[in-house]
Amino acid sequence: MVTYRAVRMGFGNVGRAVATLFLQRGTAVERDHGVAVRFVLVADRSGAAVDPAGLDLQRLLDVKARTGGVAAYPGGGRPGLSGAAAIASVAADLLLEVSPTSVRTGEPGLAHLRAALNRAMHVVTANKGPLVGAYRDLMRLAHERGVELRYAGTVAAPTPALDLARYALHGAVVESIEAVPNATTNYILTLMEAGYALEDGIRAAQDVGIAETDPALDVEGWDSAAKIIILANTVMGGDLRLDDVDVEGIGAVTTAQLTQARRQGRALKLLASVRRGPRGLHAAVAPTPLPVEHPLARLRNTAMGVLFHTDLLGDLLVSVEGDAPLGTAQAMLRDVVQIGREHRALS
Ligand SMILES: NC(=O)c1ccc[n+]([C@@H]2O[C@H](COP(=O)([O-])OP(=O)(O)OC[C@H]3O[C@@H](n4cnc5c(N)ncnc54)[C@H](OP(=O)(O)O)[C@@H]3O)[C@@H](O)[C@H]2O)c1
């Protein structure tokens, strides 16, 4: 049995889903996989809750629901304790990072990842931001410290898209990747096909809780760009950053364009793609009319998918209906279990 003492930065939708998942399935994971997690510090914007013996996750969820902040945790609340100082304040071996994404600066997650890796802690993140700007640096740091940096939750989270590439494509070359990795824009485009104007589609996505209050990250294509960068850097050996990707969102797409595409036997999707070119990898995000027989064309509503074009295996599609914090939490749990198993095998 491996027991990790974990720090979690962020206690929003995903952070709370992680707590719920470990409450419900933690014992089964220990029994079946020999990996246990004891949360010793959880932080949000209020500060932190700390207990070196392990926080009571149900009590933490109750405190958050009642007061809005984990710093009100009875006996272990630390108002204002945050960032690298919080990570340094406890003995821990694992960071779970679920603070908000900034694709431009990577912060605050980037500082959290660096602090944890420098302390030789394994890191599991669902936050794309740090990986977009500093993928190679962070992987190098993890390697130097002899720890793992895993991020299955960052790309089409409920699917094993990155796990497939990590565990099942040995010996094959991924020649290109196409993806519909953003559920919110796919939902909006599906509504627009049914006649909604863009603004009404965005409002409807907000009403069902899948779009951010500020939907720019999704609508302008930056979330999709972040995901294709992570895929390209992980699976195709790239070193792409945000400025290397040609990004066009769905802001200028009209209902008439969608209707016309349908009439021509095509479905308009916000496609993220990367392919090998004469000057290295070329990545782009753009609204793209796909023939209806294209595997990604039939993804509707909140579905997401990643299509790997490989030399040995042909085309491999990984897709899922819907995007929810629990799927992301499960991806993070998967990462923790893999780290536990692989490091146990090494020791
Ligand atoms: N939602 C999804 O389904 C999904 C899917 C894949 C990936 N992700 C990624 O997962 C991450 C979390 O998403 P979410 O939906 O849970 O976001 P969220 O609901 O906005 O939660 C963010 C959490 O981070 C906390 N936070 C903000 N600044 C912080 C800081 N400096 N230090 C520590 N905590 C801080 C917030 O505190 P307060 O609670 O006090 O505001 C909140 O608890 C994001 O990076 C997102 O891109 C989300």
Side-chain angles (χ1 to χ4, degrees):
M1 173 76 71
V2 188
T3 301
Y4 289 119
R5 296 162 299 175
V7 165
R8 180 152 21 116
M9 301 305 277
F11 204 46
N13 295 312
V14 177
R16 292 195 305 275
V18 168
T20 304
L21 187 61
F22 273 93
L23 270 172
Q24 292 176 350
R25 302 288 161 86
T27 307
V29 168
E30 284 179 34
R31 183 192 63 220
D32 297 343
H33 304 291
V35 179
V37 178
R38 199 166 77 214
F39 289 95
V40 295
L41 183 147
V42 172
D44 64 8
R45 283 180 305 161
S46 71
V50 185
D51 184 348
L55 293 158
D56 177 333
L57 294 179
Q58 188 56 60
R59 182 183 286 188
L60 194 63
L61 286 164
D62 294 344
V63 165
K64 179 74 176 172
R66 212 176 51 246
T67 69
V70 296
Y73 187 80
R78 300 282 184 276
L81 182 61
S82 68
I87 294 168
S89 72
V90 284
D93 350 86
L94 173 68
L95 168 70
L96 300 187
E97 220 296 330
V98 280
S99 73
T101 286
S102 161
V103 292
R104 285 282 164 207
T105 67
E107 299 297 356
L110 185 53
H112 298 162
L113 262 60
R114 287 208 165 110
L117 293 171
N118 275 320
R119 295 177 67 80
M121 293 164 65
H122 298 297
V123 171
V124 169
T125 180
N127 181 351
K128 296 165 281 288
L131 301 175
V132 168
Y135 178 77
R136 292 277 156 219
D137 286 354
L138 292 168
M139 292 310 281
R140 196 175 311 118
L141 186 54
H143 182 74
E144 282 167 11
R145 301 298 156 128
V147 291
E148 296 295 326
L149 166 55
R150 296 290 173 98
Y151 45 88
T154 57
V155 178
T159 76
L162 287 165
D163 297 339
L164 179 83
R166 184 186 290 276
Y167 295 106
L169 297 182
H170 303 126
V173 174
V174 176
E175 290 168 333
S176 61
I177 302 171
E178 292 178 289
V180 173
N182 182 271
T184 306
T185 44
N186 207 32
Y187 185 68
I188 294 168
L189 290 175
T190 305
L191 292 178
M192 288 176 74
E193 263 184 5
Y196 280 60
L198 176 67
E199 299 70 33
D200 297 334
I202 293 172
R203 243 189 318 275
Q206 284 167 337
D207 288 346
V208 297
I210 59 165
E212 303 294 330
T213 315
D214 174 9
L217 201 67
D218 296 322
V219 172
E220 292 174 8
W222 300 112
D223 178 80
S224 297
K227 288 168 176 168
I228 202 68
I229 288 171
I230 293 171
L231 281 164
N233 291 352
T234 306
V235 181
M236 298 174 75
D239 188 14
L240 298 181
R241 314 262 169 128
L242 213 51
D243 291 341
D244 300 317
V245 187
D246 296 325
V247 183
E248 183 189 341
I250 62 166
V253 172
T254 62
T255 310
Q257 270 173 297
L258 283 151
T259 315
Q260 193 193 359
R262 264 284 152 207
R263 244 188 255 125
Q264 294 169 342
R266 288 166 179 268
L268 195 75
K269 296 290 169 194
L270 185 60
L271 190 74
S273 62
V274 57
R275 60 191 72 254
R276 294 181 199 281
R279 278 174 291 143
L281 297 181
H282 177 247
V285 173
T288 308
L290 298 175
V292 283
E293 62 276 13
H294 190 289
L296 296 173
R298 63 184 158 79
L299 301 180
R300 298 175 61 72
N301 295 307
T302 55
M304 297 180 288
V306 180
L307 182 62
F308 296 97
H309 299 284
T310 74
D311 61 346
L312 289 183
L313 308 164
D315 294 348
L316 290 169
L317 173 68
V318 185
S319 70
V320 68
E321 287 291 329
D323 184 18
L326 199 56
T328 306
Q330 195 271 343
M332 299 184 83
L333 184 150
R334 236 159 54 213
D335 277 344
V336 173
V337 168
Q338 290 298 345
I339 292 172
R341 283 177 156 182
E342 289 168 21
H343 276 254
R344 198 170 45 215
L346 286 176
S347 59

